[in-house]
Structure formats: structure tokens, C-alpha cells
Amino acid sequence: MKAHPFNWFATIIAVIAVSIWLFTSYGKIHSKHLTEATISEKTHEEDEYYIKVDGKKIKVKDSSTWMVLEAGENYELTYEWYGINKPYVKEINQAHDEDQIGGGH
């Protein structure tokens, strides 16, 4: 049997499309920086700590940092996510302050 050239062409396009989707979803770390982020809510679920900023639930990996943060206050915030992982705080600092609170690497 002979394979039709359209089948090969469609297969190649599908493989390229899936590869691009996988790279952008799982291979690339997405990052967002907010200069005037106001924490609207702090939550605690089992051993995980979260803050809500602009309607987005963001994980705080360090419980000590989570305890220092206050709802209603403005912070300079950088958070990251990749794949299906929840967004997490990469770096956080009080807005217009040069001293870092914590969470940075």
C-alpha cells in the first residue's frame, strides 16, 4: 500500500503543533512582576500557604514569609508558574521599600 502525501504532511504538522504546545506549557517558566500588588486575602490549607492578588491564588512556599504578609497591604511581587503547577511567589518586597521581606532566591 502506498501512503498518501497528505497523510505525511498532516502528521508532520500535528507533531510540530503538539511539540510547540508542550514546550510553551511545560518547558517554559512563565513569570509575572507586579509593582503595586495588593493582597486581598491570605489562606492556609494543610501545609500550604496562599495569598490572593488580583483575584489570582498564589502559593507562598515559606510559611515565615506568609506570616509577615498582611492583607490589604501593597507589595512588589514576582511570581512564576509552569505546566499545571500552581503559581508561586518567587520574590516579594514591600512596595517602595528597598529591604527585602523574603521569598527571593
XYZ file of all heavy atoms in Angstrom:
861
model
N 0.824 -1.176 0.000
C 0.000 0.000 0.000
C 0.875 1.247 0.000
O 1.876 1.308 0.691
C -0.883 0.042 1.234
C -1.977 -0.941 1.259
S -2.900 -0.608 2.753
C -4.508 -0.697 2.153
N 0.391 2.219 -0.671
C 1.089 3.488 -0.769
C 0.490 4.490 0.211
O -0.718 4.592 0.326
C 0.915 4.039 -2.179
C 2.180 4.209 -2.939
C 1.822 4.640 -4.319
C 2.891 5.455 -4.939
N 2.550 5.898 -6.262
N 1.348 5.229 0.910
C 0.862 6.264 1.827
C 0.610 7.539 1.026
O 1.406 7.929 0.192
C 1.875 6.520 2.922
N -0.477 8.141 1.309
C -0.836 9.384 0.622
C 0.016 10.533 1.176
O 0.209 10.635 2.380
C -2.323 9.664 0.847
C -2.869 10.677 -0.090
N -2.753 12.010 0.137
C -3.519 10.542 -1.272
C -3.317 12.676 -0.849
N -3.800 11.796 -1.722
N 0.549 11.416 0.318
C 1.404 12.518 0.805
C 0.682 13.441 1.790
O 1.321 14.009 2.674
C 1.779 13.288 -0.449
C 1.385 12.459 -1.603
C 0.449 11.403 -1.124
N -0.616 13.584 1.657
C -1.356 14.446 2.593
C -1.284 13.893 4.008
O -1.180 14.653 4.971
C -2.817 14.593 2.149
C -3.614 15.429 3.102
C -3.472 16.809 3.134
C -4.477 14.838 4.019
C -4.188 17.586 4.025
C -5.191 15.599 4.913
C -5.050 16.981 4.914
N -1.322 12.571 4.169
C -1.239 11.958 5.498
C 0.095 12.301 6.165
O 0.143 12.592 7.359
C -1.400 10.446 5.404
C -2.812 10.055 5.027
O -3.739 10.859 5.129
N -2.974 8.824 4.565
N 1.206 12.235 5.407
C 2.505 12.588 5.952
C 2.568 14.059 6.314
O 3.084 14.427 7.367
C 3.621 12.251 4.959
C 3.900 10.781 4.907
C 3.563 9.913 3.909
C 4.531 10.018 5.918
N 3.955 8.652 4.228
C 4.562 8.687 5.471
C 5.075 10.309 7.156
C 5.117 7.661 6.219
C 5.636 9.301 7.899
C 5.647 7.990 7.434
N 2.029 14.897 5.459
C 2.024 16.336 5.707
C 1.209 16.666 6.962
O 1.654 17.415 7.826
C 1.459 17.075 4.484
C 1.487 18.558 4.615
C 2.686 19.263 4.596
C 0.303 19.280 4.780
C 2.717 20.634 4.731
C 0.317 20.643 4.924
C 1.528 21.335 4.896
N 0.032 16.086 7.083
C -0.822 16.322 8.255
C -0.161 15.803 9.527
O -0.234 16.445 10.586
C -2.184 15.667 8.053
N 0.508 14.659 9.441
C 1.198 14.098 10.605
C 2.341 15.001 11.052
O 2.512 15.258 12.246
C 1.734 12.692 10.278
O 0.645 11.859 9.874
C 2.431 12.080 11.470
N 3.107 15.504 10.107
C 4.225 16.402 10.441
C 3.709 17.686 11.088
O 4.244 18.143 12.099
C 5.070 16.703 9.188
C 5.816 15.440 8.762
C 6.043 17.850 9.439
C 6.502 15.533 7.418
N 2.641 18.268 10.540
C 2.048 19.483 11.115
C 1.538 19.212 12.526
O 1.752 20.015 13.439
C 0.915 20.019 10.212
C 1.464 20.454 8.858
C 0.158 21.147 10.890
C 2.437 21.614 8.928
N 0.889 18.071 12.732
C 0.365 17.725 14.055
C 1.492 17.557 15.063
O 1.404 18.033 16.204
C -0.485 16.458 13.980
N 2.576 16.894 14.670
C 3.719 16.691 15.573
C 4.350 18.028 15.941
O 4.684 18.275 17.101
C 4.752 15.731 14.933
C 6.072 15.754 15.693
C 4.197 14.328 14.865
N 4.497 18.918 14.969
C 5.069 20.245 15.240
C 4.164 21.037 16.179
O 4.638 21.649 17.142
C 5.313 21.011 13.926
C 6.464 20.357 13.154
C 5.624 22.478 14.196
C 6.665 20.899 11.762
N 2.859 21.008 15.936
C 1.915 21.745 16.783
C 1.931 21.222 18.219
O 1.960 22.002 19.180
C 0.514 21.666 16.199
N 1.939 19.905 18.383
C 1.966 19.316 19.732
C 3.288 19.644 20.421
O 3.307 19.955 21.619
C 1.719 17.787 19.659
C 2.035 17.111 20.982
C 0.281 17.504 19.247
N 4.387 19.615 19.697
C 5.691 19.943 20.280
C 5.737 21.388 20.769
O 6.233 21.667 21.859
C 6.810 19.727 19.251
O 6.858 18.384 18.868
N 5.220 22.299 19.973
C 5.182 23.713 20.377
C 4.308 23.891 21.607
O 4.671 24.586 22.554
C 4.699 24.596 19.212
C 5.773 24.633 18.117
C 4.374 26.004 19.684
C 5.320 25.285 16.836
N 3.148 23.237 21.628
C 2.238 23.340 22.779
C 2.905 22.783 24.037
O 2.823 23.392 25.108
C 0.931 22.615 22.490
C 0.014 22.634 23.660
C -0.782 23.663 24.072
C -0.184 21.586 24.616
N -1.464 23.311 25.213
C -1.114 22.051 25.557
C 0.339 20.299 24.740
C -1.533 21.257 26.624
C -0.077 19.526 25.810
C -1.000 20.010 26.731
N 3.562 21.624 23.931
C 4.229 21.034 25.088
C 5.349 21.933 25.609
O 5.503 22.104 26.815
C 4.790 19.650 24.739
C 3.769 18.525 24.655
C 4.429 17.257 24.116
C 3.134 18.264 25.997
N 6.118 22.522 24.705
C 7.200 23.402 25.132
C 6.667 24.630 25.850
O 7.166 25.002 26.913
C 8.061 23.840 23.945
C 9.091 24.856 24.336
C 10.199 24.491 25.066
C 8.925 26.197 24.016
C 11.142 25.427 25.458
C 9.854 27.143 24.398
C 10.966 26.751 25.118
N 5.645 25.282 25.292
C 5.139 26.505 25.922
C 4.384 26.205 27.208
O 4.336 27.047 28.099
C 4.235 27.300 24.961
O 3.158 26.467 24.535
C 5.010 27.792 23.769
N 3.800 25.025 27.341
C 3.049 24.686 28.545
C 3.929 24.114 29.649
O 3.733 24.413 30.822
C 1.953 23.682 28.218
O 1.011 24.253 27.356
N 4.878 23.267 29.302
C 5.647 22.561 30.316
C 7.135 22.881 30.315
O 7.809 22.699 31.319
C 5.460 21.049 30.148
C 4.043 20.632 30.396
C 3.161 20.469 29.345
C 3.589 20.439 31.686
C 1.848 20.105 29.574
C 2.270 20.081 31.928
C 1.411 19.910 30.864
O 0.123 19.562 31.100
N 7.682 23.348 29.227
C 9.108 23.591 29.148
C 9.500 25.019 29.431
O 10.655 25.325 29.648
N 8.548 25.914 29.454
C 8.830 27.329 29.639
C 8.257 27.795 30.980
O 7.112 27.543 31.294
C 8.193 28.120 28.497
C 8.460 29.579 28.549
C 7.834 30.285 27.361
C 8.058 31.771 27.455
N 7.364 32.492 26.410
N 9.084 28.488 31.750
C 8.621 29.053 33.015
C 8.050 30.433 32.728
O 8.716 31.280 32.157
C 9.763 29.146 34.036
C 10.274 27.751 34.389
C 9.307 29.880 35.288
C 11.481 27.754 35.297
N 6.807 30.636 33.117
C 6.146 31.925 32.943
C 6.348 32.735 34.216
O 6.290 32.204 35.320
C 4.648 31.737 32.677
C 4.375 30.858 31.507
N 4.383 31.314 30.216
C 4.090 29.546 31.435
C 4.103 30.333 29.398
N 3.921 29.233 30.110
N 6.570 34.020 34.071
C 6.825 34.883 35.208
C 6.043 36.182 35.046
O 5.884 36.682 33.937
C 8.321 35.174 35.296
O 8.595 36.005 36.391
N 5.565 36.708 36.165
C 4.854 37.984 36.141
C 5.326 38.817 37.321
O 5.459 38.324 38.435
C 3.346 37.759 36.213
C 2.558 39.030 36.023
C 1.108 38.766 35.735
C 0.409 40.079 35.449
N -0.975 39.892 35.117
N 5.585 40.106 37.059
C 6.053 41.030 38.089
C 4.998 42.115 38.283
O 4.567 42.743 37.331
C 7.388 41.658 37.673
C 7.929 42.602 38.690
N 8.547 42.179 39.833
C 7.932 43.954 38.735
C 8.904 43.231 40.546
N 8.541 44.327 39.894
N 4.583 42.320 39.528
C 3.612 43.358 39.878
C 4.286 44.343 40.829
O 4.882 43.939 41.826
C 2.386 42.742 40.551
C 1.652 41.651 39.765
C 0.611 40.977 40.647
C 0.995 42.250 38.544
N 4.186 45.639 40.521
C 4.829 46.638 41.377
C 3.912 47.137 42.488
O 4.382 47.553 43.531
C 5.308 47.841 40.544
O 4.212 48.357 39.810
C 6.419 47.431 39.595
N 2.618 47.116 42.277
C 1.660 47.577 43.287
C 0.607 46.495 43.527
O -0.575 46.687 43.290
C 0.976 48.866 42.821
C 1.875 50.081 42.798
C 2.236 50.585 44.182
O 1.417 50.462 45.114
O 3.353 51.107 44.328
N 1.042 45.342 43.996
C 0.131 44.222 44.234
C -0.461 44.341 45.634
O 0.266 44.420 46.617
C 0.872 42.909 44.087
N -1.775 44.359 45.708
C -2.462 44.411 46.993
C -2.982 43.017 47.338
O -3.715 42.416 46.563
C -3.641 45.397 46.956
O -3.161 46.678 46.571
C -4.310 45.496 48.307
N -2.579 42.509 48.484
C -3.042 41.193 48.924
C -4.460 41.358 49.449
O -4.703 42.089 50.401
C -2.127 40.622 50.012
C -0.734 40.390 49.447
C -2.707 39.339 50.581
C 0.272 39.909 50.447
N -5.397 40.670 48.804
C -6.797 40.781 49.221
C -7.167 39.728 50.256
O -8.097 39.923 51.036
C -7.730 40.678 48.009
O -7.542 39.451 47.341
N -6.426 38.625 50.292
C -6.791 37.542 51.199
C -5.586 36.636 51.433
O -4.757 36.436 50.558
C -7.921 36.741 50.549
C -8.478 35.614 51.348
C -9.576 34.870 50.590
O -10.074 35.359 49.569
O -9.921 33.783 51.056
N -5.492 36.079 52.655
C -4.483 35.080 52.994
C -5.220 33.815 53.413
O -6.156 33.879 54.189
C -3.616 35.544 54.163
C -2.668 36.648 53.831
C -1.943 37.185 55.062
C -1.251 36.148 55.881
N -0.466 36.689 57.001
N -4.801 32.666 52.863
C -5.436 31.400 53.247
C -4.365 30.368 53.571
O -3.225 30.469 53.136
C -6.356 30.860 52.127
O -5.593 30.702 50.935
C -7.518 31.785 51.874
N -4.792 29.371 54.341
C -3.909 28.302 54.779
C -4.663 26.987 54.603
O -5.750 26.816 55.142
C -3.543 28.540 56.252
C -2.798 27.424 56.876
N -1.456 27.245 56.679
C -3.194 26.435 57.703
C -1.069 26.187 57.375
N -2.106 25.679 57.998
N -4.097 26.071 53.816
C -4.708 24.758 53.597
C -3.677 23.691 53.923
O -2.674 23.575 53.230
C -5.168 24.615 52.141
C -6.205 25.637 51.735
C -6.455 25.646 50.240
O -5.922 24.770 49.529
O -7.179 26.532 49.795
N -3.901 22.939 54.978
C -2.973 21.923 55.466
C -1.576 22.524 55.614
O -1.381 23.391 56.427
C -2.987 20.699 54.550
C -4.315 19.977 54.563
C -4.342 18.771 53.655
O -3.263 18.290 53.241
O -5.440 18.302 53.358
N -0.604 22.091 54.829
C 0.764 22.621 54.925
C 1.083 23.594 53.802
O 2.251 23.849 53.509
C 1.773 21.468 54.888
C 1.733 20.634 56.157
O 1.320 21.181 57.204
O 2.115 19.457 56.109
N 0.066 24.143 53.151
C 0.284 25.071 52.047
C -0.292 26.437 52.398
O -1.357 26.535 53.001
C -0.334 24.525 50.764
C 0.330 23.235 50.305
C -0.199 22.754 48.981
O -1.295 23.181 48.572
O 0.498 21.943 48.339
N 0.420 27.480 52.006
C 0.049 28.852 52.321
C -0.180 29.613 51.019
O 0.611 29.490 50.084
C 1.155 29.516 53.134
C 1.424 28.797 54.430
C 2.348 27.748 54.499
C 0.733 29.135 55.578
C 2.578 27.076 55.677
C 0.962 28.470 56.771
C 1.881 27.442 56.814
O 2.095 26.776 57.986
N -1.244 30.408 50.977
C -1.610 31.123 49.760
C -1.955 32.573 50.065
O -2.410 32.898 51.165
C -2.835 30.478 49.098
C -2.604 29.066 48.648
C -2.941 27.991 49.456
C -2.040 28.802 47.406
C -2.731 26.693 49.039
C -1.827 27.508 46.977
C -2.178 26.453 47.802
O -1.958 25.175 47.382
N -1.738 33.418 49.065
C -2.242 34.789 49.091
C -3.060 34.979 47.821
O -2.850 34.290 46.825
C -1.100 35.834 49.147
C -0.128 35.678 47.975
C -0.394 35.790 50.483
C 0.940 36.752 47.899
N -4.004 35.898 47.879
C -4.808 36.199 46.702
C -4.494 37.626 46.274
O -4.622 38.562 47.053
C -6.294 36.051 47.002
C -7.160 36.093 45.758
C -8.603 35.806 46.096
C -8.915 34.424 45.569
N -10.328 34.096 45.689
N -4.030 37.763 45.028
C -3.659 39.053 44.457
C -4.338 39.169 43.097
O -4.185 38.281 42.262
C -2.128 39.165 44.293
C -1.748 40.464 43.620
C -1.422 39.030 45.627
N -5.078 40.245 42.900
C -5.794 40.461 41.632
C -6.668 39.270 41.262
O -6.750 38.883 40.103
C -4.822 40.767 40.483
C -4.083 42.074 40.678
O -4.605 42.941 41.417
O -3.001 42.240 40.089
N -7.284 38.642 42.249
C -8.168 37.509 42.002
C -7.440 36.208 41.717
O -8.060 35.195 41.436
N -6.114 36.196 41.786
C -5.319 35.000 41.490
C -4.749 34.442 42.790
O -4.155 35.169 43.585
C -4.202 35.358 40.520
C -3.442 34.178 40.013
C -2.509 34.641 38.904
C -2.219 33.536 37.953
N -3.132 33.271 36.928
N -4.915 33.151 42.993
C -4.413 32.473 44.176
C -2.960 32.070 43.924
O -2.663 31.322 42.999
C -5.271 31.239 44.442
C -5.017 30.554 45.740
C -6.031 29.436 45.915
C -5.852 28.715 47.207
N -6.828 27.631 47.357
N -2.046 32.580 44.761
C -0.610 32.368 44.573
C -0.039 31.685 45.816
O -0.266 32.128 46.940
C 0.112 33.702 44.320
C -0.504 34.410 43.112
C 1.599 33.484 44.124
C -0.016 35.819 42.907
N 0.702 30.621 45.602
C 1.285 29.858 46.704
C 2.520 30.563 47.257
O 3.343 31.080 46.510
C 1.683 28.467 46.205
C 2.214 27.552 47.277
C 2.479 26.177 46.708
C 2.953 25.248 47.797
N 3.130 23.882 47.292
N 2.636 30.591 48.591
C 3.827 31.105 49.273
C 4.517 29.888 49.875
O 3.975 29.241 50.764
C 3.459 32.130 50.371
C 4.708 32.651 51.052
C 2.647 33.268 49.796
N 5.697 29.552 49.370
C 6.374 28.324 49.790
C 6.916 28.396 51.217
O 7.011 27.388 51.899
C 7.507 27.994 48.812
C 7.001 27.569 47.454
C 8.135 27.170 46.552
C 7.619 26.668 45.220
N 8.681 26.227 44.331
N 7.265 29.580 51.676
C 7.848 29.756 53.009
C 6.782 30.260 53.977
O 6.240 31.353 53.805
C 9.018 30.738 52.917
C 9.723 30.929 54.239
O 9.587 30.071 55.127
O 10.418 31.947 54.386
N 6.487 29.479 55.005
C 5.438 29.871 55.959
C 5.819 31.129 56.734
O 4.955 31.921 57.105
C 5.141 28.724 56.927
O 6.281 28.408 57.700
N 7.112 31.344 56.997
C 7.556 32.547 57.712
C 7.248 33.798 56.898
O 6.810 34.818 57.439
C 9.047 32.483 58.003
O 9.335 31.388 58.825
N 7.469 33.726 55.593
C 7.156 34.856 54.719
C 5.656 35.102 54.713
O 5.207 36.241 54.788
C 7.645 34.579 53.278
O 9.058 34.360 53.320
C 7.337 35.740 52.356
N 4.869 34.035 54.645
C 3.402 34.161 54.631
C 2.912 34.862 55.902
O 1.999 35.677 55.851
C 2.780 32.776 54.501
C 1.297 32.778 54.436
C 0.517 33.000 53.341
C 0.397 32.541 55.520
N -0.815 32.916 53.673
C -0.911 32.634 55.014
C 0.569 32.247 56.875
C -2.041 32.442 55.802
C -0.551 32.061 57.662
C -1.842 32.161 57.126
N 3.524 34.540 57.046
C 3.093 35.140 58.313
C 3.381 36.638 58.355
O 2.648 37.388 58.989
C 3.768 34.438 59.478
C 3.199 33.082 59.767
S 3.890 32.438 61.288
C 4.345 30.811 60.764
N 4.438 37.103 57.705
C 4.809 38.521 57.717
C 3.878 39.347 56.824
O 3.622 40.515 57.097
C 6.285 38.678 57.267
C 6.645 40.136 57.072
C 7.214 38.028 58.267
N 3.358 38.731 55.771
C 2.495 39.453 54.828
C 1.165 39.798 55.472
O 0.645 39.036 56.278
C 2.267 38.593 53.580
C 3.523 38.182 52.812
C 3.159 37.233 51.686
C 4.238 39.400 52.283
N 0.620 40.959 55.085
C -0.655 41.407 55.645
C -1.649 41.700 54.529
O -1.294 42.327 53.523
C -0.437 42.663 56.481
C 0.388 42.421 57.726
C 0.508 43.667 58.584
O -0.395 44.524 58.529
O 1.515 43.766 59.294
N -2.872 41.247 54.722
C -3.944 41.534 53.756
C -4.214 43.034 53.746
O -4.170 43.693 54.788
C -5.204 40.765 54.119
N -4.459 43.573 52.563
C -4.730 44.993 52.420
C -3.492 45.842 52.183
O -3.601 47.025 51.893
N -2.315 45.255 52.326
C -1.062 45.981 52.116
C -0.577 45.811 50.675
O -0.878 44.817 50.023
C 0.018 45.469 53.071
C -0.253 45.768 54.523
C -0.144 47.246 54.855
O 0.729 47.932 54.286
O -0.944 47.712 55.678
N 0.205 46.793 50.201
C 0.783 46.739 48.854
C 2.187 46.149 48.907
O 2.973 46.479 49.790
C 0.863 48.136 48.233
C -0.495 48.675 47.888
O -1.433 47.925 47.673
N -0.603 49.981 47.826
N 2.477 45.304 47.917
C 3.783 44.666 47.818
C 4.250 44.680 46.371
O 3.448 44.740 45.441
C 3.722 43.219 48.313
C 3.392 43.111 49.779
C 2.078 42.965 50.209
C 4.394 43.161 50.733
C 1.761 42.876 51.550
C 4.097 43.071 52.084
C 2.780 42.934 52.483
O 2.481 42.855 53.811
N 5.563 44.601 46.210
C 6.153 44.367 44.899
C 6.353 42.859 44.822
O 7.034 42.272 45.664
C 7.478 45.103 44.787
C 8.047 45.076 43.407
C 9.246 46.006 43.271
O 9.317 47.020 43.983
O 10.095 45.678 42.446
N 5.751 42.230 43.840
C 5.642 40.781 43.817
C 6.043 40.214 42.458
O 5.655 40.745 41.423
C 4.185 40.397 44.123
C 3.738 38.967 43.949
C 4.351 38.098 45.031
C 2.226 38.882 44.020
N 6.827 39.154 42.486
C 7.132 38.397 41.283
C 6.710 36.961 41.550
O 7.085 36.387 42.569
C 8.646 38.426 40.958
O 9.049 39.792 40.803
C 8.941 37.666 39.684
N 5.911 36.408 40.641
C 5.517 35.015 40.791
C 5.717 34.272 39.480
O 5.772 34.856 38.420
C 4.094 34.867 41.322
C 2.994 35.410 40.441
C 2.326 34.571 39.555
C 2.589 36.737 40.508
C 1.293 35.047 38.757
C 1.571 37.220 39.727
C 0.917 36.368 38.856
O -0.097 36.839 38.066
N 5.869 32.946 39.599
C 6.140 32.103 38.442
C 5.209 30.902 38.438
O 4.685 30.508 39.479
C 7.586 31.591 38.472
C 8.620 32.651 38.336
C 10.043 32.107 38.351
O 10.259 30.945 38.780
O 10.944 32.845 37.919
N 5.057 30.297 37.260
C 4.326 29.054 37.121
C 4.779 28.375 35.835
O 5.321 29.005 34.941
C 2.821 29.292 37.124
C 2.294 29.939 35.869
C 1.736 29.320 34.782
C 2.280 31.334 35.563
N 1.377 30.240 33.837
C 1.710 31.493 34.286
C 2.717 32.475 36.230
C 1.558 32.729 33.676
C 2.570 33.701 35.620
C 1.989 33.821 34.367
N 4.575 27.093 35.780
C 4.857 26.337 34.569
C 3.986 25.089 34.561
O 3.612 24.575 35.620
C 6.337 25.958 34.457
C 6.864 25.127 35.591
C 6.892 23.737 35.513
C 7.329 25.720 36.749
C 7.351 22.971 36.556
C 7.809 24.976 37.798
C 7.826 23.593 37.693
O 8.293 22.840 38.735
N 3.654 24.642 33.371
C 2.826 23.448 33.231
C 1.536 23.577 34.005
O 0.870 24.609 33.972
N 1.202 22.547 34.752
C -0.034 22.558 35.533
C 0.217 22.945 36.991
O -0.690 22.898 37.811
C -0.742 21.186 35.469
C 0.161 20.069 35.986
C -1.218 20.893 34.065
C -0.517 18.727 36.138
N 1.454 23.336 37.308
C 1.768 23.767 38.675
C 1.096 25.089 38.995
O 0.932 25.940 38.134
C 3.277 23.903 38.862
C 3.973 22.567 38.850
O 3.344 21.535 39.024
N 5.271 22.584 38.632
N 0.752 25.247 40.273
C 0.126 26.487 40.729
C 1.171 27.603 40.733
O 2.347 27.352 40.985
C -0.418 26.308 42.139
C -1.508 25.277 42.238
C -1.911 25.060 43.681
C -2.932 23.952 43.767
N -3.247 23.602 45.144
N 0.737 28.838 40.479
C 1.681 29.967 40.576
C 2.234 30.053 42.006
O 1.520 29.814 42.972
C 0.821 31.187 40.262
C -0.385 30.666 39.582
C -0.596 29.272 40.081
N 3.516 30.380 42.121
C 4.134 30.514 43.434
C 4.975 31.790 43.485
O 5.467 32.267 42.471
C 4.999 29.291 43.768
C 6.145 29.065 42.813
C 7.404 29.612 43.059
C 5.968 28.326 41.658
C 8.443 29.431 42.178
C 7.007 28.122 40.765
C 8.240 28.676 41.040
O 9.274 28.485 40.156
N 5.098 32.327 44.686
C 5.852 33.565 44.905
C 7.329 33.269 44.706
O 7.898 32.385 45.342
C 5.605 34.122 46.317
C 6.532 35.287 46.602
C 4.153 34.536 46.484
N 7.941 34.012 43.818
C 9.384 33.911 43.580
C 10.122 34.950 44.419
O 11.140 34.680 45.015
C 9.662 34.126 42.085
C 11.096 34.104 41.699
C 11.653 32.722 41.760
C 13.083 32.767 41.218
N 13.778 31.550 41.447
N 9.561 36.166 44.460
C 10.180 37.261 45.202
C 9.084 38.222 45.639
O 8.167 38.508 44.888
C 11.158 37.974 44.278
C 12.151 38.844 44.964
C 13.181 39.363 43.973
O 13.714 38.582 43.174
O 13.406 40.587 44.009
N 9.198 38.719 46.866
C 8.209 39.677 47.358
C 8.907 40.707 48.235
O 9.857 40.390 48.959
C 7.048 38.979 48.109
C 5.908 39.955 48.373
C 7.537 38.316 49.366
C 4.601 39.286 48.709
N 8.460 41.956 48.124
C 9.048 43.052 48.869
C 7.954 44.082 49.115
O 7.034 44.195 48.318
C 10.200 43.659 48.066
C 11.082 44.560 48.890
O 11.020 44.559 50.110
N 11.920 45.325 48.224
N 8.056 44.821 50.182
C 7.093 45.889 50.405
C 7.226 46.909 49.288
O 8.335 47.207 48.842
C 7.321 46.562 51.754
C 6.972 45.678 52.917
C 7.263 46.347 54.237
O 8.208 47.114 54.355
N 6.463 46.052 55.232
N 6.114 47.428 48.823
C 6.137 48.418 47.756
C 6.908 49.649 48.209
O 6.763 50.104 49.343
C 4.721 48.800 47.356
N 7.767 50.159 47.340
C 8.570 51.359 47.585
C 9.525 51.202 48.766
O 9.834 52.154 49.452
C 7.675 52.581 47.807
C 6.632 52.739 46.769
N 6.913 53.058 45.467
C 5.287 52.563 46.824
C 5.804 53.105 44.770
N 4.798 52.807 45.560
N 9.986 49.981 49.000
C 10.922 49.717 50.090
C 12.103 48.946 49.509
O 11.936 48.043 48.712
C 10.253 48.895 51.181
C 11.109 48.767 52.433
O 12.125 49.482 52.520
O 10.762 47.967 53.305
N 13.303 49.267 49.939
C 14.493 48.631 49.408
C 14.871 47.347 50.143
O 15.611 46.535 49.649
C 15.682 49.603 49.441
C 15.480 50.836 48.588
C 15.247 50.507 47.122
O 15.932 49.627 46.575
O 14.372 51.154 46.512
N 14.374 47.168 51.374
C 14.692 45.968 52.144
C 13.740 44.852 51.744
O 12.541 45.019 51.738
C 14.550 46.229 53.643
C 15.551 47.255 54.129
O 16.649 47.304 53.542
O 15.233 47.989 55.067
N 14.313 43.682 51.481
C 13.506 42.549 51.044
C 12.909 41.828 52.233
O 13.582 41.582 53.231
C 14.369 41.596 50.227
C 13.597 40.467 49.621
C 14.485 39.621 48.713
O 15.643 39.912 48.516
N 13.933 38.573 48.201
N 11.627 41.440 52.123
C 10.967 40.674 53.184
C 11.422 39.232 53.144
O 11.691 38.619 54.141
C 9.429 40.732 53.031
C 8.935 42.138 53.319
C 8.752 39.759 53.977
C 7.475 42.332 53.079
N 11.477 38.645 51.966
C 11.893 37.240 51.850
C 11.240 36.600 50.656
O 10.492 37.226 49.927
N 11.518 35.351 50.454
C 10.929 34.600 49.355
C 11.782 34.610 48.110
O 11.527 33.857 47.201
N 12.795 35.451 48.048
C 13.658 35.512 46.860
C 14.752 34.466 46.931
O 15.056 33.926 47.976
N 15.365 34.189 45.793
C 16.459 33.218 45.760
C 17.726 33.902 45.355
O 17.822 34.718 44.562
C 16.136 32.098 44.768
C 14.974 31.285 45.194
N 13.752 31.406 44.615
C 14.837 30.376 46.154
C 12.905 30.588 45.182
N 13.552 29.946 46.122
